[in-house]
Structure formats: C-alpha cells, structure tokens
Amino acid sequence: MTVEILARSENLLGAQVRGVDLRKPVSPQDVAAITQAINRHAVIVFPGQFITDEEQLVFSRQFGKLERRTSYARDKERIEHEEINDISNIDYENRLLTPGDRQRAMNDGNLLWHTDGTFKHIPSMLSMLHAREIPPEAGETEFADMRAAYDALPQKMKDELEDLIVEHSVYRSRSQVGFANFNDEVFARLPPVQQVMIRLHPGSGRKSLCLASHADYVIGWPVEKGRKLLQDLIVQATQPQFVYSHRWSVGDLVIWDNRCTMHRARPYDDLKHRRVMHRTTVQDIANTVELRYGKVPGLKSAQQ
Ligand code: OGA
Ligand code: MN
C-alpha cells in the first residue's frame, strides 16, 4: 500500500493522508512520503485510524525522539505511558473533571494560540493528536500558518524581527488563564528559555514566525513593548486566511509541525461532554537560538 496525499490546496496548510493503516508497520518509503507532506502542508490528517497507545508510540517514534509528558496538574495519571500526553477532560477514574479541578484550569491554556513546547529549551517538532472521544459539537482545533503569515509581513517588519530573541515560559501562558500557583518542583524543572522570533523551516527552506502564548518578552526590550509586539503579531498571524479549522471525528490522527504553525483548541461543554485525545510529541533537534546561530556541535549552520 502506498500513501496518498490529498491537499486542501497547493498553498494552504492541511492535507489528508489515505492508504495507510497505522496499526501495521509503516514502510520507510511511506514515512518519507508522510514527512514530505508535513514539510509542505504542515498539518496532516489521517482519518479512521483506530489505534492503541502502543501503535501510536510505534508510529510516532519513526519521526524522531519522543518527549516525555510534562504534567503538572494531575494528581494521578490516567494513561500509563510517559510518552503519551493526556489531552482530555477525564480524570484517572474515568470521570469528567469538575469545576475546581487544577487540570481543568490547566486545559484552558490550550484555548490560547500557542506552539507546543516553546517553553522548553528544546521545543517540540511534531505533535500527533489522536481522537478517542469527541463532543457532539464544538471542540475543534484551529491551526495557523506561520510561514504564510511571515511572507505577508511588510519587508520593514521582517527586517526588524529578523534577529529578535524572545523569552518563553509556561508561567506566562498559564498566568493568562488565571493559573499561577505552580509549585517549586515545576519551577525547577521548567525554567524560562530563549527562542528566536524568526525560524527557518528546514524541510521547506521557508521562514516562519515563532509565536506562542508562552512567549513572554523580547530580550533587550522593555517588557511591555515586547508583549505588545508579540500580541500584534499573533493577531496578524491568525487572520482567517492563514487558519485551518479541524472538526474532529473519532479515529482522526492529526500531525502538526510546530516549527511553522500555531494552534488552539476551541471551547466545548466540558462539564457535560467527554473529549479524549492522546498526544505523542516528537522533540526538535535543538534549541532554536542554538540552531540559528550554529552553536550545536555537528549541526553547524543547520538553519542559516
Ligand atoms: C495539544 C493541543 C488542542 C486541542 O494537544 O497540544 O493544544 O484541540 N490540543 O485539544
Ligand atoms: Mn498544544
């Protein structure tokens, strides 16, 4: 069987992948074709994949090293595997999260436009989200094309942004949804990190904006000025012409490339309906500043 890629359009993000059964080993040729589709379309959807956690892990590992989950609000995990993120409104006893639950407040962070893992020294490269249960309405995921958004900026703005470095932290994003009481262990584990503002996407050779709810301030600028710039850019980059909205069906596996997209979850009635997604995440190869300025041994000028 060979994979078939059905793009929404040549120049828009979003494509469907058919002709592959993720319960079975995927050939290196198919992995190469899928990688090519990711490089071009950034968000790809595999409908009708009724896979287990183990099958998702086996498939995901073919694209690189998987991140271990960073949970900070669940008392006890529902999912056994450390490399599967529990993106759900369900607790370890399979009950809906209740209004006062810390994890429920934490889930609201996903409603903000973000890029996965920019608050980590080495950010996330690919996220792979598998729909197990979906609410009867709403709860879509929106994706914004950061290469197209970059291309659309005036040259003067591109020049101003070219060398900016931004500090990112998980406290910044979570404080925006009223969640500030992190414990010391989380602070020690996830100190703030630096990322470039403009990334070169290696698989396409195109430049991309690196924005996220985790982006806190621009290094060397007054904090409020940097935040204003980041906010303006997020508004610019998420205009409808740059956005694909995914309406989920059970069995969809969606892969997105965090190096050139932002995304956000849309609200749904989470006190009434279950929404259960399992996410695996492939780590990028290095920190974006180190990649950009060639400070990674053996990867010199990988992004220059
Ligand atoms: C994620 C995420 C959005 C959603 O898993 O990283 O942001 O719609 N999910 O669940
Ligand atoms: Mn996310």
Side-chain angles (χ1 to χ4, degrees):
M1 206 159 25
T2 331
V3 294
E4 192 190 349
I5 312 293
L6 302 160
R8 285 202 305 142
S9 121
E10 197 53 29
N11 298 317
L12 293 176
L13 87 177
Q16 276 208 5
V17 184
R18 298 194 173 269
V20 62
D21 180 349
L22 302 184
R23 291 171 304 182
K24 306 205 180 108
V26 177
S27 69
Q29 290 85 339
D30 281 353
V31 171
I34 293 166
T35 302
Q36 208 175 27
I38 295 168
N39 284 334
R40 180 175 293 239
H41 302 293
V43 179
I44 61 170
V45 181
F46 299 70
Q49 300 288 347
F50 297 94
I51 50 173
T52 62
D53 285 344
E54 288 74 17
E55 287 160 349
Q56 184 169 347
L57 286 166
V58 167
F59 172 67
S60 304
R61 286 195 188 108
Q62 290 187 270
F63 295 83
K65 183 175 182 303
L66 298 190
E67 293 179 1
R68 287 164 64 110
R69 64 184 164 218
T70 43
S71 359
Y72 11 66
R74 285 186 186 271
D75 300 331
K76 209 167 155 185
E77 290 289 345
R78 186 177 63 84
I79 303 171
E80 176 200 347
H81 299 276
E82 286 273 325
E83 292 161 319
I84 302 228
N85 272 277
D86 185 356
I87 310 295
S88 79
N89 60 332
I90 300 298
D91 72 8
Y92 66 95
E93 286 185 315
N94 210 23
R95 298 170 304 205
L96 287 175
L97 299 176
T98 50
D101 197 294
R102 276 162 56 85
Q103 183 59 40
R104 186 163 176 267
M106 191 58 80
N107 287 352
D108 281 352
N110 279 351
L111 299 170
L112 304 172
W113 281 110
H114 68 282
T115 302
D116 289 337
T118 62
F119 56 84
K120 299 179 195 172
H121 179 66
I122 301 183
S124 312
M125 178 161 63
L126 305 176
S127 296
M128 307 186 171
L129 192 60
H130 185 236
R132 302 293 181 93
E133 295 177 59
I134 58 161
E137 58 187 10
E140 300 86 356
T141 307
E142 291 182 342
F143 299 92
D145 186 338
M146 293 298 105
R147 293 177 296 193
Y150 173 82
D151 289 346
L153 292 174
Q155 188 58 45
K156 187 165 174 292
M157 178 63 109
K158 289 179 180 164
D159 295 341
E160 278 171 26
L161 300 180
E162 181 66 21
D163 292 315
L164 297 185
I165 296 187
V166 177
E167 182 148 305
H168 291 238
S169 83
V170 73
Y171 326 113
R172 173 71 186 145
S173 47
R174 266 40 189 182
S175 66
Q176 291 176 60
V177 288
F179 196 100
N181 51 335
F182 281 96
N183 59 30
D184 293 345
E185 189 263 331
V186 177
F187 269 97
R189 193 152 50 98
L190 295 169
V193 300
Q194 298 188 352
Q195 309 290 357
V196 293
M197 174 77 89
I198 305 298
R199 239 166 153 173
L200 191 68
H201 182 256
S204 62
R206 294 175 64 190
K207 284 187 181 172
S208 170
L209 283 165
C210 179
L211 303 170
S213 57
H214 317 299
D216 195 349
Y217 59 88
V218 175
I219 305 286
W221 283 27
V223 170
E224 291 311 322
K225 184 179 172 210
R227 285 191 180 158
K228 174 90 176 51
L229 173 70
L230 287 161
Q231 191 48 41
D232 285 351
L233 288 170
I234 290 175
V235 169
Q236 287 261 355
T238 56
Q239 295 175 85
Q241 67 269 33
F242 303 129
V243 173
Y244 163 65
S245 176
H246 185 66
R247 169 93 197 107
W248 291 92
S249 296
V250 172
D252 284 352
L253 178 83
V254 176
I255 303 183
W256 62 88
D257 188 339
N258 287 295
R259 296 168 300 185
C260 58
T261 57
M262 268 204 296
H263 61 278
R264 66 172 175 180
R266 301 300 287 151
Y268 65 102
D269 189 347
D270 69 319
L271 292 175
K272 196 156 151 207
H273 298 299
R274 294 166 64 97
R275 184 179 189 266
V276 182
M277 309 274 191
H278 288 197
R279 197 188 82 208
T280 40
T281 320
V282 177
Q283 200 176 46
D284 206 343
I285 52 174
N287 170 267
T288 59
V289 179
E290 293 176 356
L291 265 180
R292 168 80 189 266
Y293 295 99
K295 289 186 191 144
V296 184
L299 279 173
K300 204 161 173 294
S301 63
Q303 287 213 348
Q304 289 173 342

